[in-house]
Amino acid sequence: MAAGGIPTGSVVAFPGVPPSQVGFDRLELQRILDLYGRMVAAGLWRDYAMDFAREAASFSAFRRSAERPQARIEKRPSLRGKQGMWTLFGEVGQVLKRGHELSNILSPLERRLLKVVED
């Protein structure tokens, strides 16, 4: 034990200081990158970009790197209690879907991967 009753080697957060930027946790990023990999395999996406700011984190997917993003997934924790912290934006910037769960936000993109099979 070190002075003050805090065990040696433990990390203590400074009280009252908000995080300097918003990010994705491991499961969220795994879910997003899994969808990205399937979209690349289908030939729909070729590049991506991530942006981490103080208010929001975003993942943008591109058909070609010189274009506007075809889809942008944004996590904004300040809207957690209101409309939901997840938002899916379209190519022109329109809001396609908002919600509290990432899986619900990704569902319109995952529908593009479904193919009808005839008997």
Side-chain angles (χ1 to χ4, degrees):
M1 286 262 177
I6 299 173
T8 307
S10 64
V11 177
V12 178
F14 194 75
V17 177
S20 60
Q21 66 184 17
V22 176
F24 300 112
D25 67 30
R26 181 183 294 257
L27 293 175
E28 293 166 350
L29 192 56
Q30 181 180 1
R31 185 79 194 261
I32 292 169
L33 289 176
D34 176 58
L35 173 64
Y36 173 76
R38 289 184 287 141
M39 295 294 261
V40 167
L44 299 173
W45 290 348
R46 291 191 179 162
D47 199 8
Y48 74 92
M50 288 191 273
D51 181 34
F52 303 101
R54 183 178 298 272
E55 303 85 25
S58 67
F59 179 92
S60 302
F62 299 86
R63 267 185 251 163
R64 292 184 250 346
S65 58
E67 293 184 342
R68 284 186 268 181
Q70 185 178 14
R72 184 167 53 101
I73 301 160
E74 184 177 270
K75 177 182 178 182
R76 192 173 292 269
S78 63
L79 296 177
R80 180 186 316 253
K82 297 177 183 175
Q83 304 162 346
M85 69 177 175
W86 294 100
T87 309
L88 175 64
F89 293 96
E91 190 169 357
V92 187
Q94 73 276 29
V95 175
L96 299 178
K97 194 155 190 175
R98 289 186 194 267
H100 297 280
E101 298 292 325
L102 178 60
S103 58
N104 294 339
I105 298 304
L106 297 179
S107 61
L109 298 173
E110 290 175 341
R111 269 188 239 127
R112 294 182 189 173
L113 295 171
L114 296 177
K115 295 183 180 179
V116 176
V117 178
E118 295 181 20
D119 290 332

